[in-house]
Amino acid sequence: MKRDFVALEDLRPEELREILDLAVSMKRDWVAGRRAPLLPERTLSMIFQKPSLRTRTSFDIGMYQLGGHAVYLSPDEIQLGHRESIADAARVLSRYSDAIMARVFAHSDVVDLARWASVPVINGLSDYDHPCQGVADFLTILQRLGQLKDVRLTYLGDGNNVLHSLLIGGAMLGMHIVAATPVDYRPLPGVVQKAEALARSSGGSVTLTADPIEAVREAHVLYTDTWTSMGQEEEAAARRQVFPAYQINDALLARGAAIEGVMHCLPAHRGEEITDAVADGERSWLWDQAENRLHGQKAILVHLLKE
Ligand code: CP
Ligand code: NVA
C-alpha cells in the first residue's frame, strides 16, 4: 500500500525516528561528497496554492540531488478544486509523477489528494500542519543538542500549523513542549489531546500557558513563527495588537538561563515575532533550520519512494 506524509499524527513514533535517522545519514553522506542518486528518474509534482521560498526550492533541488526531477505547478496554473476537481487532478498527476507534494489552504484538500492519488502525497503546509517543517526542526535540534528526548522547547506566539507539528512530533520524541500563546490563539484542543496521549507514552510533556516569561524560564530552545499565517491577512492589524508580549527579543532571552538556541520556520517578520538582534544573534539556528528542509525532505522522499 502506498504511504503518504500528510500529518505527523499519521506516523508511528518509530517511523518519525526512522526518517530522522535517514536524514542524518543522508546529510552526512551528502556533505562528505558521497552523492549516490537514490531516486533516479523519479518525478515529483508540486502543487502550490500559496507562495513559498523554502518549500519550493528545497523540494526542487532535493529531487535533482536524488537524481530525479520536480515540476512546479503555480496557484494560477492548477486552480485546485476550481478548474478541475481535486479527485481528477490527483488521478491525472498520479499517471505522470511518482509522488505529489501540495501546499494548500484547507487541510482537507491535501487529505483528499492523498485519498484519490495512487502515488504518495506529501503535505508542504496546510492550515493544520507543516510536517516537513517539523522534520527539519527536529533534525536541527538533534544535531545541535545531540538528543531530542527531554529537550525543553518553548514555542511563543500563534497556535498555528507549525505549533501543531511541534506538539505532535515533539510529544512522539519525548520532548517537553511548552506553548505560550494568548488564550484566544491556542492550538486546536484535538491536537493538544493527541500530543498529551503521545507524551504519556514517550515520557515527554505538553504544557499550555499564556505567560511568555514563565514559559521561557526552563527552556533549552525557543521557537516562534509569524503572528499572521497565509490566509489570515485580513486579521493582521488585530493580531499585531495581541501578540507583542510574545516577541522573542533580548529581554525575553535574558529570562531563560538554559536557552541554547532560537528557531523560526521563516519567513520572519523582523520587529514583530522576533527582533533582528535575536535572528542574527549567536543563538540563532534559523539558517540550519532552513538548510535542513532540504535534508529532511530528501529523507522523506526516499522513505516514501525507495523500493
Ligand atoms: N518555512 C517555510 O515553509 O517556508 P516557505 O513558506 O518559504 O516555503
Ligand atoms: N504559519 C505560517 C508558516 C509559514 C511557513 C503560515 O502558515 O503561513
Side-chain angles (χ1 to χ4, degrees):
M1 211 179 81
K2 66 135 178 162
R3 279 185 293 194
D4 299 301
F5 191 78
V6 166
L8 287 186
E9 68 196 38
D10 301 336
L11 269 59
R12 288 171 293 107
E14 310 82 71
E15 199 177 352
L16 178 57
R17 267 185 242 111
E18 276 169 30
I19 292 170
L20 289 169
D21 289 346
L22 186 59
V24 168
S25 72
M26 285 174 60
K27 180 176 177 180
R28 189 187 302 128
D29 283 350
W30 182 263
V31 170
R34 295 188 293 273
R35 300 184 172 191
L38 297 177
L39 298 176
E41 295 179 16
R42 300 299 189 90
T43 49
L44 175 72
S45 291
M46 306 193 294
I47 299 171
F48 281 89
Q49 289 185 335
K50 301 173 178 173
S52 168
L53 188 161
R54 279 145 290 273
T55 306
R56 179 190 175 173
T57 316
S58 53
F59 266 111
D60 197 335
I61 289 174
M63 278 304 287
Y64 176 78
Q65 291 181 351
L66 291 165
H69 181 71
V71 175
Y72 170 72
L73 297 157
S74 73
D76 287 347
E77 222 155 10
I78 188 152
Q79 297 170 41
L80 195 67
H82 297 288
R83 188 163 178 266
E84 61 195 302
S85 73
I86 290 179
D88 289 359
R91 287 176 287 189
V92 171
L93 290 175
S94 298
R95 298 292 178 102
Y96 299 140
S97 21
D98 296 293
I100 299 168
M101 192 282 296
R103 165 166 287 196
V104 298
F105 286 97
H107 186 69
S108 56
D109 284 0
V110 70
V111 172
D112 278 354
L113 270 172
R115 175 166 164 237
W116 289 101
S118 56
V119 299
V121 170
I122 301 170
N123 180 0
L125 181 146
S126 66
D127 59 359
Y128 180 71
D129 206 345
H130 197 358
C132 296
Q133 183 68 51
V135 166
D137 296 340
F138 298 126
L139 178 60
T140 303
I141 298 165
L142 179 62
Q143 298 209 302
R144 282 284 186 162
L145 299 182
Q147 65 184 77
L148 287 159
K149 185 151 177 47
D150 296 329
V151 169
R152 296 192 293 269
L153 182 145
T154 288
Y155 175 98
L156 297 127
D158 184 27
N160 62 15
N161 44 8
V162 169
L163 175 57
H164 290 168
S165 301
L166 293 169
L167 282 168
I168 296 289
M172 284 182 183
L173 295 162
M175 296 175 70
H176 301 287
I177 310 288
V178 177
T181 69
V183 283
D184 292 337
Y185 295 88
R186 286 196 170 143
L188 288 176
V191 174
V192 175
Q193 279 158 21
K194 282 176 191 157
E196 285 170 343
L198 289 161
R200 276 193 289 277
S201 306
S202 69
S205 66
V206 172
T207 308
L208 300 191
T209 177
D211 182 348
I213 309 278
E214 180 57 26
V216 306
R217 203 159 53 84
E218 306 275 318
H220 298 126
V221 181
L222 301 190
Y223 197 119
T224 192
D225 182 19
T226 182
W227 296 335
T228 303
S229 285
M230 291 180 276
Q232 301 171 332
E233 286 76 8
E234 73 286 357
E235 298 174 26
R239 285 168 172 265
R240 269 189 218 105
Q241 305 299 313
V242 176
F243 285 100
Y246 299 85
Q247 181 189 66
I248 305 188
N249 51 37
D250 284 330
L252 194 70
L253 275 189
R255 299 293 194 137
I259 299 166
E260 306 234 17
V262 176
M263 303 180 74
H264 190 312
C265 60
L266 302 175
H269 305 79
R270 288 160 174 261
E272 293 191 11
E273 72 273 5
I274 194 165
T275 58
D276 283 334
V278 174
D280 300 328
E282 282 182 355
R283 284 181 279 183
S284 170
W285 293 353
L286 272 50
W287 321 120
D288 285 12
Q289 254 183 290
E291 177 188 344
N292 283 333
R293 292 294 304 275
L294 176 68
H295 302 294
Q297 286 155 200
K298 284 167 72 178
I300 293 165
L301 287 161
V302 169
H303 175 77
L304 295 174
L305 289 178
K306 200 133 170 59
E307 274 108 35

